[in-house]
Amino acid sequence: MKNRPVTGSRVSDEAASWSMRLDAGNLSSSEQEQLAKWLTESPDHVEELLIMNALWSTLDNIGQDISLPNLESTDVVHLDSIKATDIGNTSRFFPNMNIFKKLSIAATFTIGIAIVLLSTVTNNKNYHIESYATETGEQRNIVLGDGSTILLNTQSYLEVAYDENVRRVNIIEGEALFSVVQDENRPFRVGAGVAVFEAIGTQFNVNRKHKDVTMTVIEGVVSVSSQPQTTSDYARGEGSDDRQMPTNVPKTEVVVSAGQASLVKSDGTLAYLKEADIYQTIAWKERVLVFRDATLGYIAEEFNRYNETKIVITDKELAQTRLTAVLHAHRLDALFETLQTATHIHIDKVGEYKVFLRNVTNPKGV
Amino acid sequence: MEEPSIEPNATVLEDQYDKVYGFVLRRVRNASDAQDLAQEAYSRLLGMETRQFIKQPAAYLYRIASNLTYEYARNKHRTVSLQEFEDIENIDILSSTGTEEALDDQVYNIRLLKHLEKSLKSMPKMYAAVVVLRKRDGMSHNEIAERLDISTHTVHKYLTRAMKICREASEKFK
């Protein structure tokens, strides 16, 4: 096992991005330079890029019978076409077949078993799914068939599936504000990781960031439940049913009313906040960020969600500095101005898209 | 050993990719080996002539990994397989490293591929769609953008996210 987490980390993000940039081809000389610089920063970068490229190259042999996820019509993704006929395709995995003639029959037999074992069939559910995504700094208003609206915040991705019995939304990442038109026969159900929120007609905000999901009710009532991962999911190494629409009728755990909030953690733990700050919660609509006694690390992270220019803080102590401020999400200059008043912070702009915040008393960082 | 020459021939590279990456993935199964490989590649990379390196970092990295793979294969042959296969020199040294291992690799790669295909099924469908169009249909990023009516920037973003999910899946797979 690795003694440090790599997947899901920033290194892994960057490696994936570089790998795909290389796949696109024609890197500009400045991109080549950036890549060279990134690679020389750490052996972890080298390792992760090699692995990412290796995985990408493994996908070269993707089954020709793998079908394109259905993006418009009523059937959802039908990618499960791993059939017994795949055995007919094995030659592409064994281009040097003559070599293997030298091998024992037993060994060949092993391949046969491996392939048969791989021919697993999985179930699919049928929905009509629409997906919506926003780029960095983008906000998008979505009007659904029933008149309900979703305001999608920056760097967010969600999927919507309506049928005659239920209105389903699944937040894969990011934040959204829901205004739900009342329909007693068709509950409005929002899934976000292990959390499920259900409303009939109301307004509420869901924020899925990292592993936690915060839901704040602006108007009306929302029921909150969580569906912890089952042991069999763990055993299969699949994690929770994260990418699926919330299907089961959720078991009500907590009812949250206007002005209140709930927090669901990735392990299914559910917390309830009696007095939420509504203004702070939905200020993002106006691209206003409200920080009350927030750490600089958190503030940087929030600004980074909205802007291509990224704030980097390497000094741990500095990242823990607390600040109260109301700022426009795109006004980095205003943030820096506020920070200038704190004398121990040095603001160092590097290139067009990076700003390092450094501790003057400890300039190298920890 | 010879200094690696750059100006790689594109088609030769294509051909070698599988071998090198098969090697890398085999190392991934044993995490400490993967770290050793990366460490070694990293230190060689730092020793490279900087001006050339920043012009073509990916090609250099690939070349280093390729050399390491070759060295590994050669050592392996010396110590293990010679007496077992007398006609060993006729066999492509990289693709048949100790044959049993090569077989293992290929079975592993098939299993990994199936696992990744499964992971494609469960990820958001736009992420999966860009991967399928790229890998199954061989479309360029621009063509995918046109086909799905999204920007190439978004294509890049979806591909990146899909790969992140595949990477996480690969960790769980082993």
Side-chain angles (χ1 to χ4, degrees):
Chain A
M1 283 300 290
K2 296 203 176 210
N3 49 11
R4 62 202 150 79
V6 171
T7 57
S9 68
R10 183 180 54 83
V11 175
S12 170
D13 285 5
E14 291 171 349
S17 182
W18 275 121
S19 176
M20 292 305 99
R21 193 61 203 82
L22 286 166
D23 180 66
N26 294 324
L27 267 67
S28 68
S29 55
S30 91
E31 280 175 316
Q32 297 276 25
E33 235 169 273
Q34 282 173 37
L35 173 57
K37 187 166 174 291
W38 182 78
L39 283 170
T40 46
E41 274 168 18
S42 154
D44 288 353
H45 294 184
V46 169
E47 180 182 351
E48 199 58 19
L49 185 68
L50 280 173
I51 293 173
M52 211 58 88
N53 282 351
L55 290 174
W56 182 239
S57 139
T58 301
L59 286 167
D60 284 348
N61 290 319
I62 198 169
Q64 288 301 314
D65 48 355
I66 290 278
S67 61
L68 187 67
N70 204 327
L71 301 170
E72 275 95 26
S73 73
T74 47
D75 282 330
V76 91
V77 194
H78 242 294
L79 284 178
D80 69 322
S81 3
I82 301 151
K83 302 184 204 82
T85 51
D86 253 7
I87 290 167
N89 290 336
T90 49
S91 61
R92 66 168 188 260
F93 296 113
F94 301 102
N96 299 318
M97 208 48 165
N98 56 329
I99 293 165
F100 291 94
K101 284 183 184 152
K102 297 188 172 90
L103 298 170
S104 68
I105 292 167
T108 316
F109 187 60
T110 318
I111 307 173
I113 291 175
I115 290 161
V116 173
L117 285 176
L118 293 166
S119 311
T120 45
V121 180
T122 48
N123 296 323
N124 263 329
K125 296 159 191 160
N126 290 326
Y127 302 118
H128 175 105
I129 299 187
E130 300 284 347
S131 42
Y132 303 93
T134 47
E135 311 267 343
T136 301
E138 186 189 359
Q139 291 182 349
R140 185 171 172 189
N141 193 36
I142 302 149
V143 181
L144 301 170
D146 64 337
S148 296
T149 59
I150 302 173
L151 183 60
L152 200 55
N153 202 1
T154 174
Q155 291 186 354
S156 301
Y157 182 97
L158 58 72
E159 295 176 340
V160 178
Y162 272 27
D163 65 29
E164 61 271 25
N165 300 317
V166 62
R167 298 171 283 177
R168 296 190 197 90
V169 176
N170 193 20
I171 302 186
I172 311 295
E173 65 175 307
E175 181 166 25
L177 178 64
F178 299 90
S179 298
V180 182
V181 169
Q182 188 155 354
D183 183 347
E184 275 162 27
N185 300 319
R186 233 172 22 143
F188 191 93
R189 201 172 290 156
V190 178
V194 297
V196 180
F197 309 103
E198 184 164 323
I200 289 170
T202 180
Q203 202 185 14
F204 61 104
N205 187 79
V206 178
N207 189 358
R208 179 177 188 185
K209 250 192 306 180
H210 305 303
K211 301 279 177 185
D212 299 344
V213 183
T214 317
M215 190 280 299
T216 311
V217 183
I218 319 298
E219 227 182 81
V221 175
V222 176
S223 77
V224 183
S225 62
S226 64
Q227 300 172 326
Q229 294 177 331
T230 64
T231 16
S232 64
D233 282 339
Y234 275 122
R236 287 204 311 272
E238 299 269 283
S240 68
D241 205 10
D242 195 22
R243 315 273 165 197
Q244 297 295 329
M245 285 290 164
T247 45
N248 306 324
V249 177
K251 194 174 93 213
T252 302
E253 300 272 357
V254 178
V255 173
V256 182
S257 2
Q260 301 176 337
S262 71
L263 171 73
V264 178
K265 299 205 166 209
S266 59
D267 61 0
T269 324
L270 212 151
Y272 165 71
L273 184 65
K274 223 170 177 179
E275 276 180 51
D277 186 336
I278 302 288
Y279 172 64
Q280 182 172 1
T281 306
I282 58 169
W284 66 262
K285 275 187 0 180
E286 324 299 335
R287 294 176 186 259
V288 171
L289 302 177
V290 182
F291 302 109
R292 289 187 215 279
D293 197 30
T295 64
L296 199 49
Y298 175 77
I299 293 171
E301 197 179 292
E302 280 294 288
F303 269 91
N304 289 347
R305 283 171 72 201
Y306 291 87
N307 299 290
E308 294 293 350
T309 301
K310 304 298 178 202
I311 303 170
V312 183
I313 306 171
T314 48
D315 185 313
K316 284 176 189 152
E317 202 181 303
L318 185 60
Q320 287 305 314
T321 310
R322 287 181 180 272
L323 194 72
T324 295
V326 177
L327 294 159
H328 192 281
H330 299 300
R331 295 295 302 274
L332 284 163
D333 53 334
L335 169 68
F336 297 149
E337 214 167 281
T338 310
L339 294 178
Q340 293 285 15
T341 58
T343 47
H344 65 291
I345 299 174
H346 175 66
I347 296 158
D348 185 9
K349 292 180 187 161
V350 178
E352 216 177 322
Y353 296 116
K354 249 184 195 168
V355 180
F356 285 90
L357 299 188
R358 298 188 207 279
N359 195 335
V360 174
T361 54
N362 183 16
K364 281 190 178 167
V366 177
Chain B
M1 95 135 248
E2 271 181 54
E3 272 307 302
S5 66
I6 281 301
E7 301 305 333
N9 174 325
T11 51
V12 172
L13 272 187
E14 282 293 317
D15 210 42
Q16 296 286 323
Y17 269 136
D18 287 353
K19 290 166 190 170
V20 173
Y21 289 141
F23 175 81
V24 169
L25 286 175
R26 192 193 314 143
R27 303 262 116 358
V28 172
R29 277 187 286 169
N30 185 334
S32 65
D33 280 357
Q35 279 172 30
D36 289 349
L37 172 80
Q39 280 289 355
E40 182 57 33
Y42 180 70
S43 59
R44 289 191 190 189
L45 178 151
L46 289 183
M48 301 233 112
E49 212 258 300
T50 324
R51 202 152 33 83
Q52 284 300 324
F53 175 63
I54 60 176
K55 272 190 194 160
Q56 281 185 301
Y60 264 97
L61 176 61
Y62 171 78
R63 172 62 72 164
I64 292 167
S66 173
N67 286 339
L68 284 167
T69 308
Y70 178 81
E71 285 165 33
Y72 177 86
R74 198 177 45 188
N75 292 339
K76 195 83 182 173
H77 264 282
R78 284 214 186 106
T79 52
V80 185
S81 311
L82 264 179
Q83 70 268 41
E84 290 174 42
F85 297 95
E86 297 204 336
D87 56 346
I88 199 87
E89 64 272 19
N90 297 325
I91 299 172
D92 179 334
I93 200 165
L94 288 176
S95 64
S96 63
T97 313
T99 49
E100 282 231 2
E101 200 174 27
L103 187 65
D104 262 9
D105 278 357
Q106 278 165 340
V107 171
Y108 174 80
N109 284 350
I110 297 171
R111 289 180 53 227
L112 177 64
L113 176 65
K114 295 304 174 198
H115 187 70
L116 295 181
E117 285 178 350
K118 220 170 130 198
S119 146
L120 278 176
K121 267 191 293 179
S122 61
M123 69 177 65
K125 57 188 183 144
M126 282 299 271
Y127 299 0
V130 290
V131 173
V132 171
L133 289 174
R134 178 86 186 104
K135 287 299 193 184
R136 187 197 64 181
D137 302 346
M139 291 169 81
S140 72
H141 292 210
N142 287 338
E143 286 167 338
I144 296 170
E146 232 166 81
R147 164 79 175 269
L148 297 178
D149 199 21
I150 52 181
S151 66
T152 43
H153 177 74
T154 305
V155 171
H156 173 79
K157 191 177 71 181
Y158 287 171
L159 282 172
T160 300
R161 290 185 189 173
M163 284 316 288
K164 261 186 71 188
I165 294 169
C166 285
R167 175 70 178 105
E168 278 166 36
S170 80
E171 277 290 299
K172 284 175 186 167
F173 176 65
K174 289 289 171 195

